[in-house]
Amino acid sequence: MSRDQVLGRVRAALKSAEAAPGNLMPAGPPDLPRPQAFADPLTLFAERACAVGATVDLVASMDEAARRSAAWCAARAVRRAVVWNVASLAPVRDRLQADGIEIISPLLVPVRSWVDTVAGADAGITSAEWGIAETGTLVLACGPDQPRLASLLPPAHLVVLRAGRILPDLPALFARADALPSALTLITGPSRSADIGLVPVFGAHGPMAVAILIVTG
Amino acid sequence: MNKPRPAHIDMVANTKLALQDADLQGALNHALVRFRRLRTDAAAEVPEWEALRDLAGEIKAHALARLDVHLTQLESRIAALGGTVHWASDAVEARRIIADLVRTRGVRRVVKSKSMTTEEIHLNRALEAAGVAVVETDLGEYVLQLAGEPPSHIIAPTIHKSVAAVSRLFSEKLGAPPLDDPEDLNRVARKALRTEFLAADMGITGVNFAIAETGTLVVVENEGNARLATTRPRIHVAVMGIEKVLPRLADLGVLLRVLARSATGQRASVYVSMITGPRRTGEADGPEELHLLILDNGRTRLLADPDLRDSLRCVRCGACLNVCPVYERAGGHAYESVYSGPIGSVITPVLEGLPRAGDLPFASTLCGACAEVCPVKIDLPRMLLELRARAVRAGVIGWVDRLFARGWTFAMSGPARLRVVAGLGRLVQRLLVRRGRIERLPYPFAGWTAHRTAPPLAAQAFRDWWRSR
Amino acid sequence: MPGRAPGSSSPVALFVTCLVDQLFPHVGAATVRVLERAGCAVNFPGAQTCCGQPTFNDGFWADAAGLARRFLDVFADAPQIVVPSGSCAAMVREWYPRLLRDEPAQAERARAVGQRTYELSEYLVRVLRLTDLGARFPGAVAYHPACHGLRGLHLREEPLALLRGVRDLRLVPLPGAEECCGFGGFFAVKFSGLSGAMLEAKLRAIESSGAEVVTATDVSCLMHIAGGLTRRRSKIRVMHIAEVLAAV
């Protein structure tokens, strides 16, 4: 059985490596550094996110977030948007619906045509679990009301992030003991590629535009 | 198992050809100078960069030291999440496992995201032979698939192709109009590939890291095609070398901090997908089935070797390629193997054997630039030297080197011998020395004088001057 | 000469290296002059030949081990060994223990001798704590940091400090200084095309630096660079750092 063969060879390999002269096997796992501490993680996050091509706006409340989202959609002539069906985004959803934008939700779309429907949307709107200041990264968790494709198929992605959820660095994120969802996605700016002629281009396969609304209130 | 003797990789001939290709030289130089600067700047931004490299290396060393434990822990976590783990001893088995999956699940179309490991097992050929359409979805890999060429760099596979060449290719294969703007070319590819993603039954990806503690597979990218390949098709197959497993989730924090900076100078890659099991109840998207294929294919040979084991720390960032003065001029194709550059010169001779790849460790000046940039501190020059010794012991070294070694050892075996040999040399060189230098050395040393003059033996050796002083 | 009291001479065994011995004896003479000016009593064990690096680098470790044992015999009682070559010093310090790994007694000897083996600029600056040897060398000089010294022995500041201590010497920066010159031992012959291409880049950098002289700690790199400059009929001179430090 291949499993036994491979594991057998691994075990044998480790034994022979251990027995070799002058061989220094590490005694145990190394100590990991503590997360960094930044004086102003919010500003750092905004700077770093802008540096990778996202746009960042600070809003004082969810109501203002709703207004900004509507303006953003209007500017992009968004007619259909996938919006995560989470409570925190209710003000945004309501406002967009009031503006006549068709809100696509997995609960209301037949499973068979979910993907095609999302592919036809003009924008995806989600919340973010966390922000990572050091790199300007958004952390998105998927779930029944938080489909993965919302932040991937439509050409534009709008994210609402609470200021209090900005962590300094990745070690800070992984130091938490939260249970992992089936897909936890770290997003740093719009999709990009430089494979053709080494010229960087946005929107290789994922969104070409990422807009971040940070709610400070 | 009788395999036909694999063709020997003639690095001398391959590099000679590469040097004659002016387009290649220009493209490589342009790309690598840029990558080097980006990496240097990104590393300079992190004051504790050297300490971070040390730590990343230690994490990997520890992961390898108890690899059996970590692999079995990973396996049980993934099974508990509803995923399936397969084990493959070698490429033949790996292909068989995936072909079986394709057959039993009625798969007709496959989308792939870039994975050196799938290249290594020659997966595409096998799938096509099984009647499955396979589409590479990384823009660079897609270009190469259309062109029928292998990738030439771990991170930037089309480093050797100009914009004009890509435009010609798209016109020919996709009926696109001639375009000279990379942005327009990207749009053409994006549109063509979207259709593929939406039609595929199975997505195949590599794995950058696998976390034993949580059963999480980590896929790192910039374009979004790996996300698509792991979300849209109903089956996701992830192919991973045994060495990719990390013990703890917290280890990932350190490795991710050094990976993107070392590869492309970015603080972080655009997308890091952390996949913990297949789609869960109530979710609208995500694969229904998740399969992890754990591959050996010679890696246990590296693991067993105390002098070479650390090469398994490699996170495939490409930094060593970018900084190597030999890779800069040879390009990836010269190495005729999946893994090129300094890391390729170490692992290919072990994975594919010295008779085939024995030249590779010699195509280096051992300058050490690679070791300076490796984010997990692999001592590549040391390993190249170890492999040279093995190549000699295996008898795959040519007669010129052996003659040189014999002659040198004889001459240097004592001052009396040295005096005799050097004296003979001073006599012979009278035929060669003109105006204080040698313009033409005879075969097999003519390579020296092809590019520079050679110094003559001095009229009086230092040891004789010392005696007379 | 600052810092040296008469009679305070440190005894030093000179390992002159095979290339210097047979091809560039004036570099050896300059090394002796520099060490004597620094207050050392220089001894030259005549039984010495080669550290074994050429055969070692080409994979012939059995041959190299023979030369290594020989070196250890010749220098067994030397208090301190000074070498006008970063790569040879690195060979002895870094590689002898590995080369003789299967003979524990020899490996132990190798470790002990290695600890007493120094490249020239390393010895002057780190051991004798000297950067001014009373030298004078007018001219624009570019320094090429040879790879083994740079990355093997971590020789970064020492040669530069010594060059800065030379009166009237103008140190000019060398673009891409830390890029390998392309010598690499037998590589220069076997992969002569690659070697030539790397040399070409190094020569362009040297010519663009405005230097009148290029110097380094290793004659291996220097003879390769000199060979290229001669081909181009360049007026730029090539000198080992010992020659620059010995100049008055």
Side-chain angles (χ1 to χ4, degrees), chain B residues 76-98:
Chain B
S76 63
R77 287 280 175 282
I78 291 179
L81 291 160
T84 313
V85 175
H86 311 262
W87 299 75
S89 276
D90 56 23
V92 172
E93 242 210 298
R95 291 196 294 265
R96 188 189 53 71
I97 289 168
I98 296 180

Side-chain angles (χ1 to χ4, degrees), chain A residues 76 118-124 152-157 203 206-210, chain B residues 190 194:
Chain A
R76 309 188 75 89
V118 175
D122 304 308
L152 183 54
L153 280 181
H157 178 206
M208 293 168 224
V210 174
Chain B
R190 178 189 167 105
R194 261 308 156 91

Side-chain angles (χ1 to χ4, degrees), chain A residues 114-173:
Chain A
W114 167 242
V115 175
D116 292 330
T117 311
V118 175
D122 304 308
I125 300 178
T126 73
S127 55
E129 285 297 309
W130 303 100
I132 306 294
E134 185 185 26
T135 49
T137 299
L138 299 159
V139 181
L140 268 64
C142 77
D145 296 313
Q146 299 169 212
R148 300 155 168 79
L149 292 174
S151 62
L152 183 54
L153 280 181
H157 178 206
L158 176 74
V159 191
V160 178
L161 168 71
R162 300 216 82 103
R165 302 285 287 189
I166 294 177
L167 298 171
D169 56 16
L170 279 180
L173 176 67

Side-chain angles (χ1 to χ4, degrees), chain C residues 226-240:
Chain C
L229 287 170
T230 307
R231 258 308 151 71
R232 282 152 107 90
R233 305 192 197 295
S234 168
K235 297 283 187 293
I236 300 172
R237 284 143 59 215
V238 176
M239 299 171 72
H240 185 274

Side-chain angles (χ1 to χ4, degrees), chain B residues 19 307 365 367 372 386 388 401 406 409 412-413 426 439 449 451-453 456 458 460-463 469, chain C residues 21-23 25 28 36 46 48-49 57-58 63 70 98 101 151 180 188 190 192-193 195 224 227 231:
Chain B
L19 284 165
D307 295 316
T365 58
C367 75
E372 257 185 351
E386 295 280 347
R388 291 180 184 191
D401 299 69
R406 276 294 86 69
T409 308
M412 297 300 168
S413 54
R426 283 185 179 85
E439 292 285 353
T449 43
H451 301 276
R452 68 230 108 178
T453 61
Q460 184 189 47
F462 174 86
R463 58 183 65 237
R469 125 198 231 262
Chain C
D21 180 33
Q22 294 295 330
L23 293 169
E36 285 177 342
Q48 64 182 259
T49 55
N57 274 4
D58 212 29
D63 292 311
R70 207 170 172 285
R98 166 63 189 94
R101 190 164 77 183
R151 298 187 180 97
C180 180
K190 234 189 333 197
S192 58
S195 176
H224 160 82
R231 258 308 151 71

Side-chain angles (χ1 to χ4, degrees), chain B residues 215-404:
Chain B
T216 303
L217 303 178
V218 182
V219 183
V220 178
E221 57 160 338
N222 284 314
E223 295 181 15
N225 57 305
R227 281 187 70 195
L228 276 168
T230 57
T231 302
R232 165 69 230 349
R234 60 189 157 89
I235 304 166
H236 171 208
V237 176
V239 182
M240 170 187 110
I242 54 174
E243 81 281 15
K244 297 292 178 67
V245 68
L246 291 177
R248 312 166 289 189
L249 187 61
D251 294 327
L252 187 64
V254 175
L255 269 310
L256 284 177
R257 280 191 81 205
V258 296
L259 177 60
R261 288 174 196 267
S262 302
T264 55
Q266 293 168 280
R267 293 191 182 104
S269 302
V270 179
Y271 301 118
V272 177
S273 298
M274 298 177 54
I275 298 162
T276 310
R279 172 202 297 220
R280 294 184 195 169
T281 324
E283 287 175 5
D285 43 38
E288 288 158 26
E289 283 184 55
L290 174 64
H291 297 262
L292 173 66
L293 194 154
I294 300 179
L295 177 72
D296 179 358
N297 207 28
R299 286 159 173 73
T300 41
R301 262 176 264 144
L302 287 164
L303 188 65
D305 194 322
D307 295 316
L308 301 176
R309 186 183 48 203
D310 286 352
S311 65
L312 289 173
R313 294 183 186 184
C314 180
V315 292
R316 307 284 191 254
C317 68
C320 61
L321 275 69
N322 291 342
V323 87
C324 178
V326 169
Y327 177 86
E328 181 186 343
R329 292 162 175 97
H333 292 159
Y335 297 78
E336 285 185 51
S337 40
V338 176
Y339 305 105
S340 58
I343 186 67
S345 302
V346 168
I347 67 178
T348 305
V350 177
L351 297 180
E352 298 191 31
L354 281 168
R356 171 164 165 73
D359 263 11
L360 267 55
F362 291 87
S364 164
T365 58
L366 304 172
C367 75
C370 50
E372 257 185 351
V373 300
C374 176
V376 287
K377 289 215 137 170
I378 301 171
D379 192 344
L380 289 160
R382 175 166 287 260
M383 294 178 191
L384 290 169
L385 276 163
E386 295 280 347
L387 284 161
R388 291 180 184 191
R390 284 152 203 242
V392 166
R393 282 198 294 269
V396 299
I397 286 309
W399 66 270
V400 178
D401 299 69
R402 275 184 277 126
L403 179 68
F404 166 73

